[in-house]
Structures are given as C-alpha cells and as structure tokens.
Amino acid sequence: MARTLIWAAGMVLQSGPADRRRIAQAYRRAQERIADIPSDNGDARPRIVACFEAFDGYRAREDVAGVGWLLTAIHARVNEHDLPDWQSLSLLVDDTLGMLGLVEMTVH
C-alpha cells in the first residue's frame, strides 16, 4: 500500500498544472462514483475494485488522470482504519490530495 501511495504521490509531484487538474478531476469523478456504491458491511472492497477497474483503463491509455482513481482506492482502503500505520498513511494521502487542492474532497 505504501509503495503504491508513494508512486501516486510521485506522479502528482512530477505533473504540471494541467495534469494535476486532470488528476483532481478524475479524483472527484471517482469520489462521486464510489459514493453510489454501498459498502459491504463496512468493507470498502466493492468501492476499491471499481476504482482499480477504472484505473486499469487509464493505465492502458497511459493517461495520468488515472492517478485520481488510484488515490480514491487507496483513500477508501486507508479509511477502513484496520491497516498497520493507517494514521500515517492517511496523512500521506491528505498531503497528496493537498498537492491537488483536494484536501476537503474526501468520502468517509
């Protein structure tokens, strides 16, 4: 999880303003999409799977906007609060979202 988050943060850092806007827009779309998917007794797995399916499509097209979907999947998993060091991971997610201007755009 940490490696994937670090990769995603690196992609955001390496992106210019236009790509960051696209990543942020994809993150917003992903948040809207997963809000419509019910959690399975508190398990975010259905939401995470939907994000990874979308991310795979972006990755196949080599489209950096897919990072927004990946960040949404990571955020959903971290928000389950059952990972070792989930609090540290949550801070890293928030920092990455902050680089996108999205700190307040989270679904809990």
Side-chain angles (χ1 to χ4, degrees), residues 37-91:
I37 300 172
S39 65
D40 186 14
N41 290 327
D43 183 1
R45 183 163 288 131
R47 294 174 174 183
I48 294 166
V49 168
C51 289
F52 275 110
E53 288 173 353
F55 171 72
D56 287 344
Y58 281 92
R59 185 176 57 188
R61 295 186 305 273
E62 297 182 6
D63 187 344
V64 72
V67 172
W69 286 87
L70 184 61
L71 286 170
T72 299
I74 293 168
H75 205 181
R77 180 63 182 100
V78 169
N79 280 342
E80 290 184 303
H81 300 174
D82 62 354
L83 293 169
D85 297 324
W86 69 266
Q87 292 160 321
S88 297
L89 292 169
S90 183
L91 291 173

Side-chain angles (χ1 to χ4, degrees), residues 25-36:
Q25 289 169 346
Y27 181 86
R28 285 187 204 103
R29 280 193 302 275
Q31 290 291 301
E32 291 169 3
R33 170 73 174 96
I34 69 168
D36 293 336

